[in-house]
Amino acid sequence: MSTQRRTRKRPDELRSHQWYGTEGLRSFSHRARTRQLGYLPEEHLGKPVIAILNTWSDINPCHVHLRDRAQAVKRGVWQAGGFPLEFPVSTLSETFQKPTPMLYRNLLAMETEELLRSYPVDGAVLLGGCDKSTPALLMGAASADLPAVFVPAGPMLPGHWRDEVLGSGTDMWKYWDDKRAGLIGDCEISELERGLARSPGHCMTMGTASTLTAAAEALGVTVPGASSIPAVDSGHDRMAAASGLRVVELVWQDLRLSELLTREAYEDAVATVLALGGSTNAVIHLIAMAGRSGVRLTLDDFDRIARTVPVLADLRPGGRYLMEDFHFAGGLPGFLSRLTDVLHLDRPTVTHPTLREQLDGALVHNPEVIRDRDRPLAQEGGVAVLHGNLCPDGAVIKHIAAEPRLLEHTGPAVVFDDYRTMQATINDPGLGITEDSVLVLRNAGPLGGPGMPEYGMLPIPDHLLKQGVRDMVRISDARMSGTSYGACVLHIAPESYVGGPLALVHDGDPITLDVAARVLRLEVDDAELERRRARWTAPPPRYERGYGALYQDQMTQADTGCDFRFLARPGAVPEPYAG
């Protein structure tokens, strides 16, 4: 790892010096209480204090190994002459947390920022990986603006069932549809339960977790290659230790996140996500992360960049392979070496003065997993941004994961006002759903969900599954799992709950999707829509108190990142007085 040429701090210039090194009662008290913790003066005085923010939890299978990885980080910090302190922070488990961990992303971001600001911390190592934890930790750390390194949790081992290799999420949806279609039974499902997720780590498809950790690496806030190392590989331990070693040097150099998380870095992260065929959720998160860095990133930026990059990663759900294959094919360094013509190569990363130097010597070892530029999976990036009278502020579709026949489609709407009603009635023959219907779910957005749950991959009715139908046009103001697939239009903004046009759709209304033209349109004239709007009434608030009340008061829409207004706005925050 290169040492960047910067003026090094003196020990008395460390932020933690204000707690430990001054002459006064408070500093005496801080030193005394550190002795109470069992530490000698020479273990910490004059050394960078490194916060290890750990999202480990017994109920988060993606992070259940991070208790051990924190020890590897500490090992690295000690070896580099720093003083590590582990802080437990909120765990956001995509698997178990309801109604959705998206409801709590900003809470973890707030916790991250305030912990780093209020304690005697000079730098941080951030341990996360399950979908919302990566953006949350980086949003909070960007707002605190200390030197920091991100340690991705890593993908789990590939799943196995009989003679098939399984991808978590992706094959769950596939085989559940097979069960509903009567193609497999309870015995097979029981076997699949045991084989789908075989180890600690996040989803090993190019779902939201892998997409966001790859984005973090592209941003330059991880050590090279970190995002694809399998969670249980010994290389993951070594990566964690290397991150601890590196963050101490970043503190001495005073290389803060604000110098790394620039517009150029975010544009490179967008290009990476699109060329990976990554999750639509990354659109919301990268916009929010950029906002915390003072960078205005928009849906138009995603659509503009999508037209300049091909899809080169043959990874599920849009392709064939899994993250372990991607790792041994060259990982993100090898992948980015295929995109150097669209990247900003002269920006710094946590390990190198420039991204150009970081990628020097990066190789691709399997051109089936990481394609050559002249043999892409798709000529344009994997996510398209749509506009039209149904989504005046935008919507997104992962078109490479949809059946091509549906990318230009007009069909009659079948409308569901909430997810529970949809679950209870989707198989009702009286709805008259055909494969040409457009399934519409509303009141599932940031405020209506609440929290914008992953409801957007609406189930196909059983009778159509039994006829062999595996994809339909589905539209909603919700999100969908990054491991899922299908012609699902998502993130419609503004959402129906606040009176967006989705609230005005009636059963039978023709809806047109035209991905090539980037259009989503309700084929109803403006005068009729105005009459419907005049009859629309706002629903009552979801929450009367608590965190939910703060959420509904401060939440922004999907096109601006779903951040809290009071966190997203610019403004100074004073350093705490420690004397």
Side-chain angles (χ1 to χ4, degrees), residues 94-95 98 131 166-181 184 189 192 196 203 205 207-208 281 316-317 401 419 453-460 465 469-470 474 479-486 488:
E94 198 65 40
T95 307
K98 307 300 178 191
D131 297 13
L166 303 177
S168 59
T170 302
D171 283 306
M172 178 182 74
W173 316 120
K174 173 183 180 294
Y175 284 109
W176 190 253
D177 280 352
D178 282 353
K179 181 179 187 298
R180 293 172 57 220
I184 61 173
I189 284 293
L192 283 159
L196 192 62
C203 292
T205 54
T208 304
N281 290 303
R316 301 184 202 183
Y419 190 70
E454 293 182 342
Y455 292 165
M457 55 281 199
L458 279 72
I460 294 169
L465 289 173
V469 176
R470 284 296 184 270
R474 291 157 276 180
R479 298 176 301 107
M480 80 172 183
S481 168
T483 66
S484 193
Y485 49 86
C488 301

Side-chain angles (χ1 to χ4, degrees), residues 149-231:
V149 177
F150 183 74
V151 171
M156 69 178 85
L157 294 175
H160 281 277
W161 176 59
R162 298 183 179 178
D163 64 340
E164 293 191 37
V165 177
L166 303 177
S168 59
T170 302
D171 283 306
M172 178 182 74
W173 316 120
K174 173 183 180 294
Y175 284 109
W176 190 253
D177 280 352
D178 282 353
K179 181 179 187 298
R180 293 172 57 220
L183 300 178
I184 61 173
D186 291 341
C187 291
E188 290 86 353
I189 284 293
S190 179
E191 292 175 12
L192 283 159
E193 281 183 15
R194 298 191 295 272
L196 192 62
R198 298 171 47 239
S199 77
H202 59 66
C203 292
M204 70 306 231
T205 54
M206 186 46 70
T208 304
S210 293
T211 301
L212 267 296
T213 54
E217 184 173 339
L219 285 168
V221 296
T222 76
V223 300
S227 62
S228 62
I229 303 172

Side-chain angles (χ1 to χ4, degrees), residues 397-549:
I397 181 171
K398 187 173 181 178
H399 53 96
I400 64 164
E403 290 189 7
R405 65 182 177 84
L406 296 172
L407 299 182
E408 185 177 354
H409 178 82
T410 298
V414 179
V415 182
F416 301 95
D417 282 324
D418 61 80
Y419 190 70
R420 291 187 187 184
T421 300
M422 183 278 299
Q423 285 182 305
T425 62
I426 189 68
N427 292 312
D428 183 353
L431 296 178
I433 299 174
T434 73
E435 64 180 301
D436 293 324
S437 299
V438 175
L439 303 181
V440 176
L441 174 66
R442 55 190 174 208
N443 296 314
L447 292 170
M452 208 178 178
E454 293 182 342
Y455 292 165
M457 55 281 199
L458 279 72
I460 294 169
D462 288 355
H463 73 277
L464 292 179
L465 289 173
K466 290 173 182 177
Q467 295 171 27
V469 176
R470 284 296 184 270
D471 200 3
M472 296 174 64
V473 174
R474 291 157 276 180
I475 71 172
S476 72
D477 42 20
R479 298 176 301 107
M480 80 172 183
S481 168
T483 66
S484 193
Y485 49 86
C488 301
V489 179
L490 311 158
H491 310 180
I492 287 181
E495 64 177 305
S496 55
Y497 190 80
V498 300
L502 197 65
L504 310 179
V505 181
H506 288 181
D507 285 330
D509 286 347
I511 293 175
T512 294
L513 168 66
D514 187 339
V515 173
R518 300 297 198 260
V519 166
L520 180 69
R521 185 173 60 248
L522 180 63
E523 305 291 0
V524 175
D525 66 62
D526 292 344
E528 172 59 19
L529 291 178
E530 285 306 313
R531 285 191 289 271
R532 294 181 187 182
R533 187 177 302 283
R535 295 193 297 268
W536 180 81
T537 57
R542 296 283 194 199
Y543 295 94
E544 294 183 355
R545 60 163 302 280
Y547 172 73

